[in-house]
Amino acid sequence: MAWALKLPLADEVIESGLVQDFDASLSGIGQELGAGAYSMSDVLALPIFKQEESNLPPDNENEILPFQYVLCAATSPAVKLHDETLTYLNQGQSYEIRMLDNRKLGELPEINGKLVKSIFRVVFHDRRLQYTEHQQLEGWRWNRPGDRILDIDIPMSVGIIDPRANPTQLNTVEFLWDPAKRTSVFIQVHCISTEFTMRKHGGEKGVPFRVQIDTFKENENGEYTEHLHSASCQIKVFKPKGADRKQKTDREKMEKRTPHEKEKYQPSYETTILTECSPWPEITYVNNSPSPGFNSSHSSFSLGEGNGSPNHQPDPPPPVTDNLLPTTTPQEAQQWLHRNRFSTFTRLFTNFSGADLLKLTRDDVIQICGPADGIRLFNALKGRMVRPRLTIYVCQESLQLREQQQQQQQQPQQKHVYHAIYLEELTAVELTEKIAQLFSISPRQISQIYKQGPTGIHVLISDEMIQNFQEEACFILDTMKAETNDSYHIILK
């Protein structure tokens, strides 16, 4: 392929029709050529495949990078020659990124036979938005509760191991992969460029994002902290099918330009080569990121609750009396959130006092935390208990009350004061304990519990009988002294 390296200008390659041939070859990587097709050092070193490296220092122009990342989406034809390429993506659509091993013989031998870690991010291209990234992402989380900015399409991906997504990093995913094997990861971007645009008259112009990939190798402690390579490309994300329409519009505009004007613009390539860049500064996420994995048919990962709900630590259940009060300080509110397994949202509610949290409506909480955790948090804030399986009402019949009823035949329906008993297990033992608790006696003082049946017979209470009690049934409790000891028999009438 020495003849290709002698070409002085990419335009001459284009005019000779070689671009289409090389594009076709690249589009077939990993499909027609098989697993060994990713040894592309010579092909990818050609100028037409290094169009995005023009911003690198001159000494690096002919340097072959250890890894190459290829986004399988066409670049825009409306980009000037010396500008960075721009690629349009559809919201939520899966796009392949091919992970290519370009190492020369003997280069980086320490990773031979070992895995490396790659971290994918969708970040802002605009420096102004980079400074306010945290506020921008928190605003997006508020408007899109339970959603993520970046996801991996696990079923379509090939060669990735242990893919993970930190629930607090909506724009970041990571996975392990073997450079010696074919690796393709399919990503989905769920935000669109206009969601971060200031409102303007006459329409909106969406902001560009960057897809950045940082790759690391293991250190002596088995942690993936030693940086190997970073690359990124510029993208814009549109609503479904919007990227296709934008690509068509740009192509039609270029066709209307004169041949002299077209020379000032880059051609549209079928794929996008990510350009080498500086590593992402947040190395803490690489070091200390115990995060829940995706649910994948290819590997055995744990997955949290659905609807965007994060994996919770197995904390002990909070006490029943742990209710949030209006007088709770912001510091105490943070502790309450931790105790009740809402640690993921402590950052969102940093300055919220108890009164602030209690003022939130159900819709507010669901919008902030997502449907699953939102309902759970709202119930915890309002101190709502789980509804019991069975509720019955009982009243103790006293000897004095019985004598009054006998003397006042004209008022046979004397009003009684009833107490509620809530049953969860629906057993005779539980009913015994609840009655003893109600009347402040020991359960051992209750010998048997009977239910008064037809013709006044006493039927021994069993678990099955309690399970067939009607909801909110009313009973009058009568007591009889047991014959053998100081205990009592309870009769439900």
Side-chain angles (χ1 to χ4, degrees):
M1 300 189 61
W3 53 271
L5 298 176
K6 294 179 181 178
L7 293 176
L9 294 174
D11 291 344
E12 296 177 22
V13 179
I14 297 162
E15 292 171 4
S16 62
L18 294 177
V19 171
Q20 290 83 353
D21 296 337
F22 283 117
D23 283 345
S25 300
L26 184 61
S27 65
I29 294 176
Q31 298 175 5
E32 301 173 28
L33 300 181
Y38 279 11
S39 237
M40 298 292 296
S41 301
D42 295 333
V43 177
L44 293 173
L46 291 173
I48 60 172
F49 289 117
K50 294 172 69 67
Q51 78 274 13
E52 298 172 20
E53 298 180 15
S54 59
N55 59 337
L56 296 178
D59 294 341
N60 294 339
E61 285 183 357
N62 297 322
E63 179 183 352
I64 299 178
L65 303 174
F67 300 106
Q68 189 91 50
Y69 313 122
V70 181
L71 171 61
C72 296
T75 61
S76 168
V79 177
K80 293 190 176 180
L81 276 178
H82 299 292
D83 291 344
E84 184 181 10
T85 58
L86 176 60
T87 304
Y88 303 134
L89 304 182
N90 289 315
Q91 178 189 25
Q93 183 173 327
S94 296
Y95 290 91
E96 181 184 10
I97 295 183
R98 296 166 182 167
M99 315 290 287
L100 310 182
D101 182 5
N102 280 353
R103 290 178 296 152
K104 300 176 184 177
L105 186 63
E107 185 180 6
L108 296 173
E110 64 271 19
I111 67 173
N112 289 339
K114 294 186 177 181
L115 302 177
V116 296
K117 174 187 278 190
S118 286
I119 300 179
F120 281 49
R121 292 178 175 87
V122 171
V123 296
F124 291 111
H125 174 78
D126 188 341
R127 189 172 298 276
R128 175 183 58 84
L129 291 173
Q130 291 175 8
Y131 290 133
T132 60
E133 178 178 296
H134 175 70
Q135 291 85 344
Q136 297 287 339
L137 296 185
E138 288 300 331
W140 191 88
R141 185 202 298 266
W142 178 279
N143 293 320
R144 301 274 296 276
D147 289 348
R148 290 188 55 81
I149 288 178
L150 179 64
D151 269 327
I152 296 179
D153 190 338
I154 298 294
M156 295 187 68
S157 301
V158 177
I160 65 173
I161 302 169
D162 196 18
R164 293 175 178 269
N166 191 317
T168 62
Q169 300 278 344
L170 302 182
N171 61 329
T172 304
V173 294
E174 65 179 47
F175 58 88
L176 304 177
W177 60 288
D178 186 347
K181 297 181 180 179
R182 174 188 171 190
T183 303
S184 285
V185 57
F186 282 77
I187 64 167
Q188 299 170 332
V189 183
H190 298 291
C191 63
I192 58 177
S193 293
T194 52
E195 288 183 283
F196 301 97
T197 307
M198 297 293 291
R199 299 282 177 179
K200 299 177 181 179
H201 295 290
E204 296 184 34
K205 185 177 181 181
V207 301
F209 303 123
R210 302 195 69 79
V211 173
Q212 175 155 340
I213 304 175
D214 300 285
T215 299
F216 301 84
K217 66 179 180 179
E218 279 186 299
N219 61 13
E220 297 178 352
N221 299 324
E223 299 174 335
Y224 291 91
T225 57
E226 295 192 22
H227 179 259
L228 287 172
H229 179 245
S230 294
S232 66
C233 68
Q234 185 182 196
I235 63 170
K236 279 191 176 182
V237 186
F238 297 81
K239 291 183 179 180
K241 298 185 179 180
D244 307 315
R245 291 192 293 268
K246 177 61 174 172
Q247 188 78 0
K248 180 181 178 182
T249 301
D250 284 1
R251 189 167 57 247
E252 291 173 348
K253 287 182 180 179
M254 292 305 301
E255 290 173 353
K256 295 178 182 179
R257 295 183 182 274
T258 64
H260 179 69
E261 290 176 329
K262 289 180 181 178
E263 292 177 357
K264 300 178 182 179
Y265 290 85
Q266 300 179 25
S268 175
Y269 297 100
E270 291 298 320
T271 56
T272 304
I273 310 299
L274 275 68
T275 309
E276 188 179 21
C277 66
S278 300
W280 191 255
E282 293 185 4
I283 304 300
T284 52
Y285 175 61
V286 182
N287 296 339
N288 310 311
S289 58
S291 55
F294 290 90
N295 188 15
S296 169
S297 58
H298 299 278
S299 308
S300 57
F301 313 118
S302 60
L303 177 70
E305 298 173 5
N307 300 324
S309 176
N311 250 349
H312 300 296
Q313 298 298 322
D315 297 332
V320 175
T321 57
D322 188 18
N323 292 331
L324 195 68
L325 302 175
T327 55
T328 302
T329 65
Q331 292 77 15
E332 293 170 339
Q334 292 284 299
Q335 297 172 4
W336 182 88
L337 289 168
H338 279 289
R339 288 196 305 271
N340 288 269
R341 296 179 292 118
F342 296 105
S343 302
T344 309
F345 306 106
T346 52
R347 189 174 179 180
L348 283 174
F349 298 116
T350 300
N351 297 317
F352 278 63
S353 65
D356 295 330
L357 288 170
L358 290 170
K359 288 177 183 177
L360 295 174
T361 66
R362 185 175 185 271
D363 291 340
D364 292 337
V365 179
I366 290 176
Q367 190 174 29
I368 295 170
C369 304
D373 281 308
I375 293 173
R376 195 168 66 86
L377 177 56
F378 180 76
N379 289 337
L381 288 172
K382 303 305 178 184
R384 295 190 174 186
M385 302 297 295
V386 178
R387 185 178 179 86
R389 295 178 62 188
L390 177 67
T391 301
I392 62 174
Y393 303 111
V394 297
C395 171
Q396 186 177 21
E397 184 180 25
S398 65
L399 179 62
Q400 182 180 4
L401 180 60
R402 197 181 310 168
E403 292 175 351
Q404 289 178 354
Q405 288 183 341
Q406 292 175 354
Q407 294 174 0
Q408 301 175 1
Q409 296 296 331
Q410 70 277 14
Q411 295 179 352
Q413 299 297 327
Q414 180 72 26
K415 290 185 179 180
H416 300 166
V417 177
Y418 283 85
H419 300 273
I421 292 181
Y422 304 105
L423 301 176
E424 295 289 349
E425 301 173 4
L426 305 185
T427 63
V429 172
E430 182 189 23
L431 180 60
T432 300
E433 292 174 349
K434 292 293 178 71
I435 292 177
Q437 182 180 2
L438 181 63
F439 296 108
S440 302
I441 61 175
S442 170
R444 287 176 293 184
Q445 292 181 263
I446 299 178
S447 177
Q448 298 287 352
I449 301 181
Y450 300 94
K451 183 177 183 299
Q452 184 169 295
T455 66
I457 63 174
H458 294 166
V459 183
L460 184 64
I461 289 286
S462 65
D463 296 348
E464 187 176 3
M465 183 182 293
I466 295 176
Q467 293 166 9
N468 283 280
F469 278 176
Q470 290 186 355
E471 175 69 11
E472 296 190 332
C474 299
F475 298 99
I476 294 177
L477 300 185
D478 196 3
T479 58
M480 288 195 315
K481 182 77 171 170
E483 298 81 3
T484 56
N485 51 33
D486 293 335
S487 60
Y488 295 87
H489 297 308
I490 304 293
I491 304 170
L492 305 182
K493 295 182 177 180

